[in-house]
Every structure is written in structure tokens, then in C-alpha cells.
Amino acid sequence: MNAPDFVSVRDVRTRHLTHGEGDPVVLLHGIGRSLEDWTDTLPALGAHHRVYAPDLIGFGLTDKPDVPYTLAGLARFVKHYLDAVGETRPVTLIGNSLGGGVAQQFAVMYPRQVRTLVLVNSAGFGQEVTLALRLLAVPRLGERLLTPDPRQCARVVRSLFHDPTFVTPERCGHALLLAGQPDRARAYLSVVRFLGGWRGVHREWRDTLTAQLAALRLPTLIVWGAQDRVLPAKHLTHARRLYPHARTHLFEDTGHLPQVERAEEFNRLVRGFIGEHA
């Protein structure tokens, strides 16, 4: 598999990784994260698909310009990214956390370019969210909390996993690298404050987005980790109600990143789902 490189997306220097050939799949990471969250997914799906994994605008090692960071803006960036890499076919979107919200927004804005959706511990299904993100929404406090600090980065990584063996020095070091990127705090806080506030995730955008997407009835797989400490697994119950046509799966003893913590099972499940809708 190739190493990540960079592509210009409307003058935004964008880090990405591509792998494989076949029907296209796009992997969208969560808030404050990067394409490394898909390290185990890329080779598994790349055996039969053309897989694209970008660092979203404002995150990872992609540029972080001073622009409005909204779900619509992030979805538009994904569209511009696909234009930049010359991908015009309908895609499968696989989004984790924030990436799941972006995937849903993309599907509403560009329904003809979406074949299937896979939502992984996705934003959009409830008000409850970890205290850490609610604190970041508070003016001035959020700015102080995002100052790069090894101990804070380690706490963030620990919050993502149920099994502590996944909290490795390498993952903590990568989190610290991401935390130290120029203008990272501005982009991160802009997204956090668009999505929610001290009381949790705003209801207005959730209700609008899920109503619009439900009307499309796109083939959808929704998965969750039962021990998610960022977006609790009770959100899966809401997702089943909002998208009764969707297939769902709950990974036991799993946190916020089932594609990492349950990689083999996750990849088998996703490959089978995509194959049914090829």
C-alpha cells in the first residue's frame, strides 16, 4: 500500500491515501482525527475497491484555512476532493463519528453520487456527547483546553477505546502530532461549536439532516461500539427509529473506533454489505 501523499483541492493542500481498484469507497474520519483511523480498513477494502481516505479540511495534516466549518462545508470539501482525484462514479461513504455526519450531509447534497452509506458511531443521532467536547464548546475554555499537551492527548486516545491495549505510545504520539498542527484549534473549535454546545449536540441540524436523508432511503449500514464513551451506544436505538430501512450492528466490548478495535469483524461486515449493493 502506498504512503499518504498530498493533492490540491481548490488550493487546499490535502493529505490523502488511495488504494486498490474497483467500485469507489470513501473513508471519513472523526473530529480531531486523521486517515490513520482507517489503517486496518484500507487494505481489507482495497482488495476489491478503489479506496480514498482523505484528511478532512481543518484536520490531520491537511490545510486549515480560515473558513466556516459546517457539515455542509465539510461535505462540499469531500465533493471537491473527489473532483480533484477524478472520481465521478457513485461512491460508498464510510464515516466514523464526525465523518458519519459528513457522510450523511454529502448524501443529502449529492444523492446521485452515493451508492451506499456505512455510519460508524456516527454523529447525528442524539444530544449526548462526552463532557470533553461539551467543555470545548465553551468560549475561552475551549481554547485553553486545546493547547497541545502529552497527558491530554493520551487521555483523548484512552477515551476512544474499550480495550486499553489499543492505547499505544504510537497512537498517543500521533495524537500529539495532530494537536500541534498550525491553526488546528481554530478549525476544531469551529466544528465543535457548530455541532453543539455545553448542553450537548444541537437538535436543529440533527433533525433536519436525518429527515432529509431518511426520505432518500439509501442502502445504509449503521454500526456502534457498545462501550463508546464519546457518543453513547443508546444513539443506535435512535438511529434505528430514524432509519428503519437501515441494517444495524452492535459490537460488544468496543469503544468509539470499531474499525480499529474490531477490525476483522468490521471489515467482514462492511465487505458483505457493500457486495450486496454492488
Side-chain angles (χ1 to χ4, degrees):
M1 190 165 62
N2 296 330
D5 60 3
F6 290 85
V7 62
S8 179
V9 178
R10 298 285 181 100
D11 295 324
V12 174
R13 187 171 184 264
T14 300
R15 179 173 176 258
H16 73 141
L17 185 58
T18 61
H19 184 59
E21 297 298 333
D23 291 336
V25 175
V26 181
L27 307 176
L28 303 176
H29 62 75
I31 193 166
R33 305 295 296 169
S34 69
L35 60 83
E36 275 72 17
D37 284 350
W38 303 107
T39 297
D40 296 320
T41 315
L42 276 152
L45 296 185
H48 300 285
H49 299 277
R50 179 62 169 173
V51 187
Y52 302 93
D55 281 354
L56 291 169
I57 185 172
F59 297 104
L61 302 185
T62 290
D63 283 351
K64 298 157 184 65
D66 188 6
V67 297
Y69 286 91
T70 64
L71 277 186
L74 291 167
R76 197 172 298 113
F77 172 78
V78 175
K79 176 66 168 70
H80 295 330
Y81 167 74
L82 291 173
D83 292 342
V85 296
E87 184 56 75
T88 59
R89 297 171 292 174
V91 302
T92 291
L93 289 168
I94 304 179
N96 175 223
S97 195
L98 169 67
V102 176
Q104 293 176 78
Q105 184 69 60
F106 183 101
V108 166
M109 293 170 65
Y110 311 105
R112 294 184 179 180
Q113 202 166 352
V114 179
R115 182 188 299 273
T116 55
L117 287 174
V118 179
L119 306 177
V120 185
N121 297 51
S122 173
F125 298 117
Q127 180 180 2
E128 302 87 355
V129 66
T130 179
L131 175 63
L133 287 176
R134 290 190 283 122
L135 291 174
L136 290 175
V138 178
R140 294 185 295 279
L141 177 59
E143 281 75 5
R144 291 199 299 273
L145 291 174
L146 276 187
T147 301
D149 175 79
R151 290 173 297 179
Q152 173 62 15
C153 289
R155 283 193 292 270
V156 170
V157 175
R158 284 196 297 271
S159 75
L160 300 175
F161 298 104
H162 175 66
D163 183 347
T165 63
F166 285 91
V167 185
T168 62
E170 292 76 17
R171 288 195 171 98
C172 293
H174 184 67
L176 185 59
L177 171 69
L178 298 181
Q181 295 300 303
D183 298 319
R184 179 250 193 180
R186 180 180 64 201
Y188 195 120
L189 294 174
S190 182
V191 173
V192 166
R193 291 163 182 171
F194 168 81
L195 294 175
W198 164 246
R199 296 181 182 274
V201 182
H202 294 318
R203 183 171 184 171
E204 291 80 9
W205 71 260
R206 291 189 287 113
D207 287 353
T208 300
L209 177 59
T210 54
Q212 291 173 330
L213 184 59
L216 297 177
R217 295 187 63 82
L218 288 168
T220 303
L221 170 65
I222 307 173
V223 305
W224 225 279
Q227 278 71 45
D228 190 344
R229 287 183 280 170
V230 179
L231 295 170
K234 65 185 292 185
H235 288 200
L236 182 59
T237 301
H238 302 319
R240 287 170 173 150
R241 175 177 54 81
L242 291 165
Y243 301 149
H245 63 284
R247 183 178 305 177
T248 63
H249 182 83
L250 183 68
F251 292 94
E252 298 295 341
D253 301 320
T254 306
H256 193 57
L257 302 177
Q259 74 271 27
V260 177
E261 220 168 345
R262 292 287 179 267
E264 185 176 349
E265 186 181 354
F266 176 86
N267 292 333
R268 184 169 58 248
L269 182 68
V270 170
R271 283 196 306 262
F273 176 75
I274 296 175
E276 291 175 14
H277 299 280

